[in-house]
Amino acid sequence: MLAAGTLVLAGCGGTDGPAAADDTIGVSLITKTDSNPFFVAMREGAQEAAAEEGVDLTLAAGTSDADEAGQVEAVEDAVARGDAGILITPNGPGVNQAIEDARAAGLLVLALDTPPDPADVVDATFATDNVRAGELIGEYAAARLDGQPAVIAMLDLLDDVDVSVDWQRDQGFLAGMGIDTADPETKGDEAPTGAYTGGAGGDYTIVCNEPTQGAEDGGRTAMENCLRRDPSVNVVYTVNELSAVGAQQALAAAGRDDVVVVSVDGGCDGVSAVEDGLIDATAQQYPVEMARLGVAAVADLARGGEAPEPTEGKSFVDTGVQLVAGTPVDGVDALDVAEGTELCW
Amino acid sequence: MLVSTATSAADLLQRRRTPAQRVQQVLHAHPWVSPLVVLVVAVVVFTALNPRFASPASLSLVLQQVAVVGALAVGQTLVILTAGIDLSVGAVAVLAGVVPAQLALSGGLPGPAAVLLGLAVGTLAGLANGLLVTRLRLPPFIVTLGTLSIFTALALLWSGGSSTRADQLPAVLSWTGTRVAVGPFNLTTGVLLVLVLYLVVGYALACTAWGRHVYAVGDDAEAARLAGIRVRRVLLSVYVVAGAVYGLAAWVLIGRAGAASANAVVDANLESITAVVIGGTSLFGGRGVLVGTLLGALIVGVFRSGLSLAGVDDQYRVLAIGVLVIVAVSVDQWIRRARA
């Protein structure tokens, strides 16, 4: 129904709106920032797809991960320009009203990477299943421990709880380890000690939940703080590979080379960190694919096709996630470094 | 000693002062006293909360954790002493880190040249800030607000937002991460470099004509001009030295973070200003000493680290630092009234 309604509206816009002046299909890509390599890759993917589809692509971004106002302006610009669709990585709920206005004006709005809250603010979301990404590295870490007691450091993105990738990866990791997460949408509320059931199973202790800001210097400081609370840490969850590289600095300074460090992202820098043994395994996501699918979906709809449907059993179109591991373990499927390098961004 | 040699009139004056006024007097004469008291109290309290806090290993860690912001705060102190403010510190440090790293990685730039290039990039960025402040006569807040964006954008364009791991670079770029044992303390060459930086700049500020000129310009630029000080030249030199200091901080950062990254030191602007303000340097210029900044940086480090060791959430650490800033500026205002 919703898709049909959008079609009708899009149709109306097409007959007497500014887009009727010529046949070009305008698409706006609005990322959180223009600096993160993840979004750099996404923009490049969108540019390639736009060239293939003959779509007129406009790039915009917020100035920081929290810049909602900048994104609102970019959405308004897209409507004014007469674009057929918007691909957006929303910075927060502050962008919702602008998105609804854009859809009311007949644009197809797709979220990339980060679903808005609520998810039905957009027509569809193309994203990594970040919970699954966390589960993969949790399963890997548990298998590597092979029954040893797990002393876990959790190096998160921020200290607050409402950034979805943050708690999704964190809680996914614990679920993958086979640890009861209590509320699966809240970081740090799980029992600090208990038993994990992943791999051969065993006892676990969670030493810390420290924010890293997703950067190397933050990762190092966070890991130092965790090691100081308990020097026997043997498993480190990191929210991304930059923080993992920083964490390794702290581990190396403490003379620890026997720690299992897992992460999420799968950019080429991250995969090379796996190759060099700084990271044991990382869950690889596919931002280029998100952008390509998004651009194709807008072009398709503008030419009379259907709006995209979510992956079965999920609220979004899952663009996939795969584990890349330096050393494979039994029972957990993983790409090797060479395969990961081929797919990295 | 002082009382016994005082004249009877001054003696009388001294006696008429309330205890609060005497404290005010001491703090006015020695702006590093209040941060030192805060630091000592903080160390004692955190040690009481967790005895491990006072261990050499733990204190070494605090030094390592504050090294980068501590270095950046040296440049920030110079600028604030001239009644300016530098919002571009983090951006300059990032630029001075990624430019040599990218060239070393792709262009095969030799290590020592890359280090020098980093210092040169920082110095040039400082020169740009200084020229804009002195030639166009724009307020430092506006100039560095603008160059913050410009330097950040240049760093991102140069690197594509990606970071370069130190182990893929010439070893000298991450030499600042080399561990050094000093007695029971486990430091890095970066920490020692930053301490030397404090000694050198601290000496220049306290004991040279240049240092006196910096204070004079910050206290009252017009009076300094009438006294024959070439105000614009002094200001320019401050920004250039500050830029060179940020270049050095970039080198220390590569050693610490294990990478030259466009995403690092995102909070450096505010953190460096925080260290300077808590260290007793007046935001209105002309008053403060460099050792205060060192104490300010250490206070922030001790609070972060001590609260973390006590298992306190990060929000409370941020909150505590905010309270410290307000208290420090209030103390500064109170001290200023001593002479009013």
Side-chain angles (χ1 to χ4, degrees), chain A residues 35 159 210 216-217 220-221 224 228-229 242 249 253 269 272-273 276 278, chain B residues 52 58 64-65 161 163 165 179 255-256 261 265 305 308 314-315 317:
Chain A
S35 58
D159 205 39
E210 285 276 317
E216 290 96 342
D217 46 344
R220 175 160 189 175
T221 302
E224 286 170 347
R228 213 151 51 146
R229 283 197 227 169
L242 300 183
Q249 291 284 107
D269 291 343
S272 101
D276 296 342
L278 295 178
Chain B
R52 264 195 295 170
S58 171
Q64 291 186 33
Q65 291 181 345
S163 40
R165 283 207 332 267
R179 275 184 286 165
R256 169 152 177 87
S261 175
V265 292
S305 211
S308 165
D314 199 49
Q315 286 103 333
R317 296 180 234 169

PDB file of all heavy atoms in Angstrom, chain A residues 35 159 210 216-217 220-221 224 228-229 242 249 253 269 272-273 276 278, chain B residues 52 58 64-65 161 163 165 179 255-256 261 265 305 308 314-315 317:
ATOM      1  N   SER A  35      34.062  12.274   5.810  1.00  0.00           N
ATOM      2  CA  SER A  35      35.454  11.981   6.148  1.00  0.00           C
ATOM      3  C   SER A  35      35.712  10.502   6.421  1.00  0.00           C
ATOM      4  O   SER A  35      36.771   9.994   6.140  1.00  0.00           O
ATOM      5  CB  SER A  35      35.866  12.785   7.384  1.00  0.00           C
ATOM      6  OG  SER A  35      35.026  12.481   8.457  1.00  0.00           O
ATOM      7  N   ASP A 159      29.959   6.449  24.997  1.00  0.00           N
ATOM      8  CA  ASP A 159      29.500   6.001  26.295  1.00  0.00           C
ATOM      9  C   ASP A 159      27.983   6.034  26.416  1.00  0.00           C
ATOM     10  O   ASP A 159      27.416   5.441  27.305  1.00  0.00           O
ATOM     11  CB  ASP A 159      30.136   6.864  27.395  1.00  0.00           C
ATOM     12  CG  ASP A 159      30.201   6.104  28.705  1.00  0.00           C
ATOM     13  OD1 ASP A 159      30.489   4.902  28.653  1.00  0.00           O
ATOM     14  OD2 ASP A 159      29.941   6.707  29.747  1.00  0.00           O
ATOM     15  N   GLU A 210      34.355   0.554  27.671  1.00  0.00           N
ATOM     16  CA  GLU A 210      35.021   1.858  27.565  1.00  0.00           C
ATOM     17  C   GLU A 210      34.738   2.480  26.204  1.00  0.00           C
ATOM     18  O   GLU A 210      34.773   1.804  25.177  1.00  0.00           O
ATOM     19  CB  GLU A 210      36.541   1.688  27.721  1.00  0.00           C
ATOM     20  CG  GLU A 210      36.993   1.433  29.139  1.00  0.00           C
ATOM     21  CD  GLU A 210      37.152   2.716  29.948  1.00  0.00           C
ATOM     22  OE1 GLU A 210      37.707   3.691  29.422  1.00  0.00           O
ATOM     23  OE2 GLU A 210      36.723   2.732  31.118  1.00  0.00           O
ATOM     24  N   GLU A 216      42.030   5.612  16.847  1.00  0.00           N
ATOM     25  CA  GLU A 216      43.161   4.877  17.409  1.00  0.00           C
ATOM     26  C   GLU A 216      43.548   5.380  18.806  1.00  0.00           C
ATOM     27  O   GLU A 216      43.784   4.583  19.715  1.00  0.00           O
ATOM     28  CB  GLU A 216      44.394   4.986  16.509  1.00  0.00           C
ATOM     29  CG  GLU A 216      44.287   4.246  15.192  1.00  0.00           C
ATOM     30  CD  GLU A 216      43.842   5.166  14.073  1.00  0.00           C
ATOM     31  OE1 GLU A 216      43.302   6.259  14.386  1.00  0.00           O
ATOM     32  OE2 GLU A 216      44.008   4.795  12.896  1.00  0.00           O
ATOM     33  N   ASP A 217      43.630   6.710  18.955  1.00  0.00           N
ATOM     34  CA  ASP A 217      44.083   7.223  20.255  1.00  0.00           C
ATOM     35  C   ASP A 217      43.071   6.879  21.347  1.00  0.00           C
ATOM     36  O   ASP A 217      43.451   6.530  22.463  1.00  0.00           O
ATOM     37  CB  ASP A 217      44.386   8.727  20.194  1.00  0.00           C
ATOM     38  CG  ASP A 217      43.326   9.544  19.483  1.00  0.00           C
ATOM     39  OD1 ASP A 217      42.500   8.942  18.775  1.00  0.00           O
ATOM     40  OD2 ASP A 217      43.323  10.770  19.625  1.00  0.00           O
ATOM     41  N   ARG A 220      43.461   3.195  22.274  1.00  0.00           N
ATOM     42  CA  ARG A 220      44.605   2.905  23.140  1.00  0.00           C
ATOM     43  C   ARG A 220      44.292   3.258  24.592  1.00  0.00           C
ATOM     44  O   ARG A 220      44.541   2.457  25.500  1.00  0.00           O
ATOM     45  CB  ARG A 220      45.844   3.683  22.692  1.00  0.00           C
ATOM     46  CG  ARG A 220      46.974   3.460  23.660  1.00  0.00           C
ATOM     47  CD  ARG A 220      48.327   3.762  23.128  1.00  0.00           C
ATOM     48  NE  ARG A 220      49.301   3.288  24.125  1.00  0.00           N
ATOM     49  CZ  ARG A 220      50.595   3.305  23.938  1.00  0.00           C
ATOM     50  NH1 ARG A 220      51.096   3.741  22.829  1.00  0.00           N
ATOM     51  NH2 ARG A 220      51.407   2.860  24.889  1.00  0.00           N
ATOM     52  N   THR A 221      43.763   4.461  24.805  1.00  0.00           N
ATOM     53  CA  THR A 221      43.454   4.873  26.169  1.00  0.00           C
ATOM     54  C   THR A 221      42.434   3.931  26.808  1.00  0.00           C
ATOM     55  O   THR A 221      42.571   3.531  27.965  1.00  0.00           O
ATOM     56  CB  THR A 221      42.915   6.317  26.166  1.00  0.00           C
ATOM     57  OG1 THR A 221      43.900   7.157  25.568  1.00  0.00           O
ATOM     58  CG2 THR A 221      42.634   6.811  27.566  1.00  0.00           C
ATOM     59  N   GLU A 224      44.100   0.692  27.762  1.00  0.00           N
ATOM     60  CA  GLU A 224      44.957   0.879  28.947  1.00  0.00           C
ATOM     61  C   GLU A 224      44.124   0.880  30.216  1.00  0.00           C
ATOM     62  O   GLU A 224      44.488   0.253  31.218  1.00  0.00           O
ATOM     63  CB  GLU A 224      45.730   2.200  28.827  1.00  0.00           C
ATOM     64  CG  GLU A 224      46.867   2.140  27.822  1.00  0.00           C
ATOM     65  CD  GLU A 224      47.479   3.500  27.511  1.00  0.00           C
ATOM     66  OE1 GLU A 224      46.877   4.533  27.876  1.00  0.00           O
ATOM     67  OE2 GLU A 224      48.539   3.533  26.898  1.00  0.00           O
ATOM     68  N   ARG A 228      44.282  -1.946  33.202  1.00  0.00           N
ATOM     69  CA  ARG A 228      44.605  -1.553  34.565  1.00  0.00           C
ATOM     70  C   ARG A 228      43.602  -2.136  35.549  1.00  0.00           C
ATOM     71  O   ARG A 228      43.935  -2.442  36.685  1.00  0.00           O
ATOM     72  CB  ARG A 228      44.622  -0.043  34.669  1.00  0.00           C
ATOM     73  CG  ARG A 228      45.635   0.399  35.673  1.00  0.00           C
ATOM     74  CD  ARG A 228      46.158   1.710  35.340  1.00  0.00           C
ATOM     75  NE  ARG A 228      45.058   2.625  35.107  1.00  0.00           N
ATOM     76  CZ  ARG A 228      45.132   3.903  35.422  1.00  0.00           C
ATOM     77  NH1 ARG A 228      46.206   4.353  35.997  1.00  0.00           N
ATOM     78  NH2 ARG A 228      44.151   4.697  35.145  1.00  0.00           N
ATOM     79  N   ARG A 229      42.357  -2.276  35.082  1.00  0.00           N
ATOM     80  CA  ARG A 229      41.369  -2.883  35.984  1.00  0.00           C
ATOM     81  C   ARG A 229      41.602  -4.374  36.108  1.00  0.00           C
ATOM     82  O   ARG A 229      41.400  -4.945  37.161  1.00  0.00           O
ATOM     83  CB  ARG A 229      39.962  -2.616  35.459  1.00  0.00           C
ATOM     84  CG  ARG A 229      39.538  -1.196  35.766  1.00  0.00           C
ATOM     85  CD  ARG A 229      38.052  -1.067  35.630  1.00  0.00           C
ATOM     86  NE  ARG A 229      37.733   0.119  34.862  1.00  0.00           N
ATOM     87  CZ  ARG A 229      36.534   0.400  34.390  1.00  0.00           C
ATOM     88  NH1 ARG A 229      35.540  -0.435  34.583  1.00  0.00           N
ATOM     89  NH2 ARG A 229      36.318   1.498  33.729  1.00  0.00           N
ATOM     90  N   LEU A 242      39.845   0.924  13.654  1.00  0.00           N
ATOM     91  CA  LEU A 242      40.730   1.990  14.124  1.00  0.00           C
ATOM     92  C   LEU A 242      40.961   1.837  15.627  1.00  0.00           C
ATOM     93  O   LEU A 242      42.092   1.915  16.121  1.00  0.00           O
ATOM     94  CB  LEU A 242      40.145   3.365  13.824  1.00  0.00           C
ATOM     95  CG  LEU A 242      39.883   3.711  12.353  1.00  0.00           C
ATOM     96  CD1 LEU A 242      39.369   5.144  12.230  1.00  0.00           C
ATOM     97  CD2 LEU A 242      41.132   3.536  11.528  1.00  0.00           C
ATOM     98  N   GLN A 249      48.195  -1.198  20.485  1.00  0.00           N
ATOM     99  CA  GLN A 249      49.325  -0.433  21.030  1.00  0.00           C
ATOM    100  C   GLN A 249      49.427  -0.649  22.533  1.00  0.00           C
ATOM    101  O   GLN A 249      50.507  -0.823  23.085  1.00  0.00           O
ATOM    102  CB  GLN A 249      49.130   1.060  20.757  1.00  0.00           C
ATOM    103  CG  GLN A 249      49.252   1.456  19.319  1.00  0.00           C
ATOM    104  CD  GLN A 249      50.697   1.483  18.885  1.00  0.00           C
ATOM    105  OE1 GLN A 249      51.149   0.617  18.141  1.00  0.00           O
ATOM    106  NE2 GLN A 249      51.447   2.455  19.358  1.00  0.00           N
ATOM    107  N   ALA A 253      52.342  -2.635  24.586  1.00  0.00           N
ATOM    108  CA  ALA A 253      53.090  -1.970  25.654  1.00  0.00           C
ATOM    109  C   ALA A 253      53.046  -2.796  26.937  1.00  0.00           C
ATOM    110  O   ALA A 253      53.965  -2.760  27.739  1.00  0.00           O
ATOM    111  CB  ALA A 253      52.516  -0.582  25.908  1.00  0.00           C
ATOM    112  N   ASP A 269      42.127  -1.103   5.041  1.00  0.00           N
ATOM    113  CA  ASP A 269      43.066  -0.898   6.147  1.00  0.00           C
ATOM    114  C   ASP A 269      42.840  -1.944   7.233  1.00  0.00           C
ATOM    115  O   ASP A 269      43.781  -2.461   7.826  1.00  0.00           O
ATOM    116  CB  ASP A 269      42.883   0.504   6.766  1.00  0.00           C
ATOM    117  CG  ASP A 269      43.337   1.611   5.826  1.00  0.00           C
ATOM    118  OD1 ASP A 269      44.074   1.295   4.869  1.00  0.00           O
ATOM    119  OD2 ASP A 269      42.948   2.766   6.048  1.00  0.00           O
ATOM    120  N   SER A 272      44.024  -5.407   6.178  1.00  0.00           N
ATOM    121  CA  SER A 272      45.486  -5.510   6.253  1.00  0.00           C
ATOM    122  C   SER A 272      45.943  -5.614   7.703  1.00  0.00           C
ATOM    123  O   SER A 272      46.960  -6.238   7.998  1.00  0.00           O
ATOM    124  CB  SER A 272      46.150  -4.352   5.495  1.00  0.00           C
ATOM    125  OG  SER A 272      46.593  -3.352   6.369  1.00  0.00           O
ATOM    126  N   ALA A 273      45.171  -5.037   8.625  1.00  0.00           N
ATOM    127  CA  ALA A 273      45.491  -5.216  10.047  1.00  0.00           C
ATOM    128  C   ALA A 273      45.260  -6.665  10.478  1.00  0.00           C
ATOM    129  O   ALA A 273      45.972  -7.192  11.336  1.00  0.00           O
ATOM    130  CB  ALA A 273      44.662  -4.271  10.914  1.00  0.00           C
ATOM    131  N   ASP A 276      48.244  -8.613   9.170  1.00  0.00           N
ATOM    132  CA  ASP A 276      49.447  -8.393   9.974  1.00  0.00           C
ATOM    133  C   ASP A 276      49.301  -8.875  11.415  1.00  0.00           C
ATOM    134  O   ASP A 276      50.177  -8.633  12.243  1.00  0.00           O
ATOM    135  CB  ASP A 276      49.823  -6.905   9.964  1.00  0.00           C
ATOM    136  CG  ASP A 276      50.201  -6.428   8.563  1.00  0.00           C
ATOM    137  OD1 ASP A 276      50.497  -7.289   7.722  1.00  0.00           O
ATOM    138  OD2 ASP A 276      50.186  -5.214   8.321  1.00  0.00           O
ATOM    139  N   LEU A 278      47.325  -7.865  13.799  1.00  0.00           N
ATOM    140  CA  LEU A 278      46.897  -6.919  14.828  1.00  0.00           C
ATOM    141  C   LEU A 278      45.475  -7.232  15.272  1.00  0.00           C
ATOM    142  O   LEU A 278      45.101  -7.019  16.422  1.00  0.00           O
ATOM    143  CB  LEU A 278      46.953  -5.481  14.298  1.00  0.00           C
ATOM    144  CG  LEU A 278      48.329  -4.926  13.954  1.00  0.00           C
ATOM    145  CD1 LEU A 278      48.214  -3.523  13.410  1.00  0.00           C
ATOM    146  CD2 LEU A 278      49.198  -4.930  15.205  1.00  0.00           C
TER     147      LEU A 278
ATOM    148  N   ARG B  52      45.935   0.925  44.039  1.00  0.00           N
ATOM    149  CA  ARG B  52      46.734   0.677  42.843  1.00  0.00           C
ATOM    150  C   ARG B  52      46.989   1.943  42.034  1.00  0.00           C
ATOM    151  O   ARG B  52      47.871   1.985  41.192  1.00  0.00           O
ATOM    152  CB  ARG B  52      46.025  -0.354  41.948  1.00  0.00           C
ATOM    153  CG  ARG B  52      46.529  -1.762  42.175  1.00  0.00           C
ATOM    154  CD  ARG B  52      46.100  -2.664  41.049  1.00  0.00           C
ATOM    155  NE  ARG B  52      44.650  -2.824  41.009  1.00  0.00           N
ATOM    156  CZ  ARG B  52      43.996  -3.408  40.010  1.00  0.00           C
ATOM    157  NH1 ARG B  52      44.650  -3.856  38.977  1.00  0.00           N
ATOM    158  NH2 ARG B  52      42.694  -3.513  40.034  1.00  0.00           N
ATOM    159  N   SER B  58      50.849   2.764  37.136  1.00  0.00           N
ATOM    160  CA  SER B  58      49.608   3.495  36.920  1.00  0.00           C
ATOM    161  C   SER B  58      49.875   4.976  36.639  1.00  0.00           C
ATOM    162  O   SER B  58      49.287   5.562  35.736  1.00  0.00           O
ATOM    163  CB  SER B  58      48.725   3.326  38.155  1.00  0.00           C
ATOM    164  OG  SER B  58      47.617   4.160  38.086  1.00  0.00           O
ATOM    165  N   GLN B  64      51.586   8.978  29.972  1.00  0.00           N
ATOM    166  CA  GLN B  64      51.473   8.615  28.556  1.00  0.00           C
ATOM    167  C   GLN B  64      50.156   9.098  27.964  1.00  0.00           C
ATOM    168  O   GLN B  64      50.109   9.533  26.812  1.00  0.00           O
ATOM    169  CB  GLN B  64      51.573   7.097  28.398  1.00  0.00           C
ATOM    170  CG  GLN B  64      52.951   6.556  28.698  1.00  0.00           C
ATOM    171  CD  GLN B  64      53.047   5.066  28.392  1.00  0.00           C
ATOM    172  OE1 GLN B  64      52.421   4.561  27.479  1.00  0.00           O
ATOM    173  NE2 GLN B  64      53.828   4.360  29.175  1.00  0.00           N
ATOM    174  N   GLN B  65      49.088   9.001  28.781  1.00  0.00           N
ATOM    175  CA  GLN B  65      47.770   9.368  28.255  1.00  0.00           C
ATOM    176  C   GLN B  65      47.624  10.873  28.041  1.00  0.00           C
ATOM    177  O   GLN B  65      46.845  11.296  27.198  1.00  0.00           O
ATOM    178  CB  GLN B  65      46.665   8.859  29.197  1.00  0.00           C
ATOM    179  CG  GLN B  65      46.554   7.336  29.180  1.00  0.00           C
ATOM    180  CD  GLN B  65      45.465   6.794  30.082  1.00  0.00           C
ATOM    181  OE1 GLN B  65      44.941   7.501  30.938  1.00  0.00           O
ATOM    182  NE2 GLN B  65      45.131   5.527  29.904  1.00  0.00           N
ATOM    183  N   GLY B 161      40.383  10.335   4.342  1.00  0.00           N
ATOM    184  CA  GLY B 161      39.773   9.936   5.605  1.00  0.00           C
ATOM    185  C   GLY B 161      40.404   8.699   6.214  1.00  0.00           C
ATOM    186  O   GLY B 161      40.070   8.318   7.332  1.00  0.00           O
ATOM    187  N   SER B 163      43.425   6.042   7.671  1.00  0.00           N
ATOM    188  CA  SER B 163      44.609   6.195   8.509  1.00  0.00           C
ATOM    189  C   SER B 163      45.697   5.262   8.030  1.00  0.00           C
ATOM    190  O   SER B 163      45.445   4.270   7.357  1.00  0.00           O
ATOM    191  CB  SER B 163      44.281   5.962   9.976  1.00  0.00           C
ATOM    192  OG  SER B 163      43.397   4.921  10.137  1.00  0.00           O
ATOM    193  N   ARG B 165      48.805   2.920   9.289  1.00  0.00           N
ATOM    194  CA  ARG B 165      49.369   2.304  10.494  1.00  0.00           C
ATOM    195  C   ARG B 165      50.851   2.581  10.602  1.00  0.00           C
ATOM    196  O   ARG B 165      51.584   2.569   9.611  1.00  0.00           O
ATOM    197  CB  ARG B 165      49.111   0.806  10.478  1.00  0.00           C
ATOM    198  CG  ARG B 165      47.690   0.457  10.849  1.00  0.00           C
ATOM    199  CD  ARG B 165      47.563  -0.920  11.461  1.00  0.00           C
ATOM    200  NE  ARG B 165      48.561  -1.864  11.028  1.00  0.00           N
ATOM    201  CZ  ARG B 165      48.395  -2.704  10.006  1.00  0.00           C
ATOM    202  NH1 ARG B 165      47.299  -2.685   9.282  1.00  0.00           N
ATOM    203  NH2 ARG B 165      49.337  -3.560   9.701  1.00  0.00           N
ATOM    204  N   ARG B 179      59.434   2.673  24.400  1.00  0.00           N
ATOM    205  CA  ARG B 179      59.357   2.697  25.856  1.00  0.00           C
ATOM    206  C   ARG B 179      60.705   2.999  26.494  1.00  0.00           C
ATOM    207  O   ARG B 179      61.744   2.536  26.022  1.00  0.00           O
ATOM    208  CB  ARG B 179      58.819   1.371  26.374  1.00  0.00           C
ATOM    209  CG  ARG B 179      57.284   1.358  26.352  1.00  0.00           C
ATOM    210  CD  ARG B 179      56.768   0.090  26.940  1.00  0.00           C
ATOM    211  NE  ARG B 179      56.953  -1.019  26.020  1.00  0.00           N
ATOM    212  CZ  ARG B 179      56.862  -2.284  26.379  1.00  0.00           C
ATOM    213  NH1 ARG B 179      56.626  -2.592  27.637  1.00  0.00           N
ATOM    214  NH2 ARG B 179      57.027  -3.247  25.496  1.00  0.00           N
ATOM    215  N   GLY B 255      53.303   7.949  17.530  1.00  0.00           N
ATOM    216  CA  GLY B 255      53.905   6.936  18.392  1.00  0.00           C
ATOM    217  C   GLY B 255      52.905   6.345  19.366  1.00  0.00           C
ATOM    218  O   GLY B 255      52.934   5.152  19.659  1.00  0.00           O
ATOM    219  N   ARG B 256      52.003   7.171  19.845  1.00  0.00           N
ATOM    220  CA  ARG B 256      51.051   6.692  20.851  1.00  0.00           C
ATOM    221  C   ARG B 256      49.908   5.895  20.234  1.00  0.00           C
ATOM    222  O   ARG B 256      49.556   4.830  20.712  1.00  0.00           O
ATOM    223  CB  ARG B 256      50.483   7.870  21.637  1.00  0.00           C
ATOM    224  CG  ARG B 256      49.319   7.470  22.477  1.00  0.00           C
ATOM    225  CD  ARG B 256      49.099   8.282  23.707  1.00  0.00           C
ATOM    226  NE  ARG B 256      47.897   7.787  24.350  1.00  0.00           N
ATOM    227  CZ  ARG B 256      47.879   6.785  25.201  1.00  0.00           C
ATOM    228  NH1 ARG B 256      48.990   6.192  25.553  1.00  0.00           N
ATOM    229  NH2 ARG B 256      46.741   6.363  25.716  1.00  0.00           N
ATOM    230  N   SER B 261      46.376   9.320  11.639  1.00  0.00           N
ATOM    231  CA  SER B 261      44.962   9.164  11.337  1.00  0.00           C
ATOM    232  C   SER B 261      44.262  10.499  11.207  1.00  0.00           C
ATOM    233  O   SER B 261      44.516  11.429  11.972  1.00  0.00           O
ATOM    234  CB  SER B 261      44.307   8.359  12.454  1.00  0.00           C
ATOM    235  OG  SER B 261      42.920   8.276  12.250  1.00  0.00           O
ATOM    236  N   VAL B 265      42.512  12.723  17.599  1.00  0.00           N
ATOM    237  CA  VAL B 265      42.459  13.970  18.393  1.00  0.00           C
ATOM    238  C   VAL B 265      41.259  14.863  18.068  1.00  0.00           C
ATOM    239  O   VAL B 265      41.379  16.082  17.969  1.00  0.00           O
ATOM    240  CB  VAL B 265      43.783  14.788  18.340  1.00  0.00           C
ATOM    241  CG1 VAL B 265      44.875  14.039  19.048  1.00  0.00           C
ATOM    242  CG2 VAL B 265      44.226  15.136  16.931  1.00  0.00           C
ATOM    243  N   SER B 305      41.626   8.938  34.569  1.00  0.00           N
ATOM    244  CA  SER B 305      42.217   7.661  34.890  1.00  0.00           C
ATOM    245  C   SER B 305      41.727   7.146  36.245  1.00  0.00           C
ATOM    246  O   SER B 305      41.360   5.979  36.385  1.00  0.00           O
ATOM    247  CB  SER B 305      43.722   7.880  34.920  1.00  0.00           C
ATOM    248  OG  SER B 305      44.373   6.750  34.543  1.00  0.00           O
ATOM    249  N   SER B 308      38.126   6.143  36.104  1.00  0.00           N
ATOM    250  CA  SER B 308      38.015   4.894  35.342  1.00  0.00           C
ATOM    251  C   SER B 308      38.431   3.707  36.202  1.00  0.00           C
ATOM    252  O   SER B 308      37.758   2.667  36.213  1.00  0.00           O
ATOM    253  CB  SER B 308      38.890   4.971  34.095  1.00  0.00           C
ATOM    254  OG  SER B 308      39.069   3.687  33.540  1.00  0.00           O
ATOM    255  N   ASP B 314      31.954   6.966  32.054  1.00  0.00           N
ATOM    256  CA  ASP B 314      32.637   8.070  31.383  1.00  0.00           C
ATOM    257  C   ASP B 314      31.896   9.397  31.517  1.00  0.00           C
ATOM    258  O   ASP B 314      32.514  10.447  31.579  1.00  0.00           O
ATOM    259  CB  ASP B 314      32.829   7.722  29.905  1.00  0.00           C
ATOM    260  CG  ASP B 314      33.907   8.574  29.260  1.00  0.00           C
ATOM    261  OD1 ASP B 314      34.984   8.666  29.863  1.00  0.00           O
ATOM    262  OD2 ASP B 314      33.668   9.134  28.191  1.00  0.00           O
ATOM    263  N   GLN B 315      30.557   9.339  31.565  1.00  0.00           N
ATOM    264  CA  GLN B 315      29.798  10.595  31.672  1.00  0.00           C
ATOM    265  C   GLN B 315      30.217  11.377  32.906  1.00  0.00           C
ATOM    266  O   GLN B 315      30.288  12.598  32.884  1.00  0.00           O
ATOM    267  CB  GLN B 315      28.292  10.357  31.771  1.00  0.00           C
ATOM    268  CG  GLN B 315      27.649   9.932  30.477  1.00  0.00           C
ATOM    269  CD  GLN B 315      27.366   8.452  30.497  1.00  0.00           C
ATOM    270  OE1 GLN B 315      28.048   7.699  31.195  1.00  0.00           O
ATOM    271  NE2 GLN B 315      26.376   8.027  29.759  1.00  0.00           N
ATOM    272  N   ARG B 317      33.096  11.277  34.372  1.00  0.00           N
ATOM    273  CA  ARG B 317      34.425  11.862  34.166  1.00  0.00           C
ATOM    274  C   ARG B 317      34.273  13.173  33.412  1.00  0.00           C
ATOM    275  O   ARG B 317      34.877  14.183  33.773  1.00  0.00           O
ATOM    276  CB  ARG B 317      35.300  10.922  33.320  1.00  0.00           C
ATOM    277  CG  ARG B 317      35.588   9.605  33.996  1.00  0.00           C
ATOM    278  CD  ARG B 317      36.444   8.743  33.099  1.00  0.00           C
ATOM    279  NE  ARG B 317      35.824   7.446  32.905  1.00  0.00           N
ATOM    280  CZ  ARG B 317      36.224   6.540  32.012  1.00  0.00           C
ATOM    281  NH1 ARG B 317      37.222   6.814  31.219  1.00  0.00           N
ATOM    282  NH2 ARG B 317      35.623   5.392  31.906  1.00  0.00           N
TER     283      ARG B 317
END
